[in-house]
Amino acid sequence: MIIDRLYESVEKKGHVCVGIDTDIEYIPKWVMDKNNSIEDAIFEYNKNIIDATLDIASCYKVQIAYYEALGISGLMVYKKTLEYIRNKKAIVIADIKRGDIAKTAEMYAKAHFEGDFESDFLTLNPYMGLDGIEPYLPYVKNKEKGLFLLVRTSNKGAEDIQYIDTKKEEKVYSVVGEKIQQIGNECMGSCGYSSIGGVVGCTHVEEGIKLRSDLNKMFFLIPGYGAQGGKAEDVALYLKEGNGGVVNSSRGILLAYKKVENGEKNYAQYAREEAIRMRDDILSKLNVNN
Amino acid sequence: MIIDRLYESVEKKGHVCVGIDTDIEYIPKWVMDKNNSIEDAIFEYNKNIIDATLDIASCYKVQIAYYEALGISGLMVYKKTLEYIRNKKAIVIADIKRGDIAKTAEMYAKAHFEGDFESDFLTLNPYMGLDGIEPYLPYVKNKEKGLFLLVRTSNKGAEDIQYIDTKKEEKVYSVVGEKIQQIGNECMGSCGYSSIGGVVGCTHVEEGIKLRSDLNKMFFLIPGYGAQGGKAEDVALYLKEGNGGVVNSSRGILLAYKKVENGEKNYAQYAREEAIRMRDDILSKLNVNN
């Protein structure tokens, strides 16, 4: 089960998931200038960030939207970036948030677990229903693949659907979390977590404690650290015995060089330093809680 | 407003939305054999289906997953198919069901309302929250673009989230529908509908009547006709005064040739005949209801 690989990676390297959500505006001018195309510049930038963080990152998350926005040539960089990470034997989460059913879901599973865009984990959106997950299960059970389903996000608009109070006095996200954990039972790793994990934003302190205890077999992908306002002490509530989740930072790491005067020359080095700082920040808060 | 164009197209041609969800298995062997690549064969097939239905289809819906499953070369066919439809001055809905927030949603808007994958309407998933729609609004308000948000689907798993009973004795999908209609008020066309429409599956008769009357400014994209079990009399409940929605059929039209002995030689002709039959089937039931 792929979740065991991710668990071990967290044991070894800590909780940092480096988000390779590369906006062309993040790329230093000198990198842009020395390349023949925007796409080459993005790939060089990604490659250097990955090389500089390989021993710190438990995994990478690549947000496909940034590449899709550049059309076909952008998706070619997306493909090359996934391949580069996988060739380094690192774990990659494709942040695609697809959500569909039946034959269409089958097509998405094929698109992102095989061929040009093959990755290790996918993020999915459950709104259409959990029958939409079935087409992914053969990959999870037999082909070392994993999923992270949206449970509860930390944006303001999360209240629109996820926070609706149900008749049974629960929140919608909590019903969703329970259902996903149930499906996850079919795909348990030996580490005690399922290869079907959940995306859980790191805000709202009390809820963090409840979610972690209700969904105790669910491995969390936790966005929202740093640039999005989440702190290490919040994040720590979603982790368990020093494992149980990975914490994503994209801009915080990719743009670390902007906090240093003339930092752009050594952007990858500053990304590394920020990843180390973040890793240690989280570990220090874990020691307090666990 | 793009919704006025779609409304007029329905007035003129009827309610059929032809779904160009081309699985390679749908393509007759002789078409596959005469082309140098799978991608060329798909494009030829799509082109012929589009040419044969141009005067019948109020619009086309292209399901990106079928193309994404073939990787980069599949997405090149997707691009060419969208361009072909738009060059014919027909309206195309990109069935992408993306759903994200902030900068990522901005990237998806750019990806599918500009550049390689430009289309007229997008389908979106609202689970993360309706703040995720904001990045699309400048396109809707100023650039003749439109949206269809998932409200209620007709698959079995829809009960998992969409049908949860809320504390206020509503269904989640009904809360979602109301919120979307409210945002839609900012983007009203002169036809009386908003350029922000809803995806509403055509099952459950009583609910159809209630949804149509609650969401009376919302234009519906209605999947589920034919191959998925929906009947014209069900569909008619979601339409209003002979307009108010388009009804998608993909397999029913694309595979019409399979119902005829040796039908594969004239697959486009049979697609046309099925589209005409479907159009007239829906119109006949509208006359009864309206």
Side-chain angles (χ1 to χ4, degrees), chain A residues 23 66 68 72 97-98 100 103 108 112 116 125 127-128 130-131 151 155 157 160 162 165 167, chain B residues 23 66 68 72 97-98 100 103 108 112 116 125 127-131 151 155 157 160 162 165 167:
Chain A
D23 188 327
Y66 286 80
E68 222 167 288
I72 298 286
K97 296 193 184 74
R98 302 304 192 244
D100 218 301
K103 191 75 186 261
Y108 278 132
H112 299 280
D116 281 352
N125 183 319
Y127 184 68
M128 286 188 79
L130 298 178
D131 50 356
V151 174
N155 53 309
D160 291 330
Q162 301 163 43
D165 286 303
K167 209 172 166 180
Chain B
D23 188 326
Y66 286 81
E68 221 167 288
I72 298 287
K97 297 192 184 74
R98 302 302 192 248
D100 218 300
K103 191 78 186 259
Y108 278 133
H112 299 280
D116 281 352
N125 183 320
Y127 185 69
M128 286 186 79
L130 298 178
D131 50 355
V151 175
N155 55 308
D160 292 329
Q162 301 164 43
D165 286 302
K167 208 172 166 182

Side-chain angles (χ1 to χ4, degrees), chain B residues 30 60 65 85 138 151 193 204 208-209 240 246 259:
Chain B
W30 71 273
Y60 294 87
I85 297 170
V151 175
Y193 292 100
H204 313 290
I209 300 169
K240 211 173 70 177
V246 290
K259 293 189 172 162

Side-chain angles (χ1 to χ4, degrees), chain B residues 160-172:
Chain B
D160 292 329
I161 301 181
Q162 301 164 43
Y163 278 81
I164 292 175
D165 286 302
T166 74
K167 208 172 166 182
K168 295 184 179 161
E169 305 282 337
E170 292 173 298
K171 302 287 184 193
V172 164

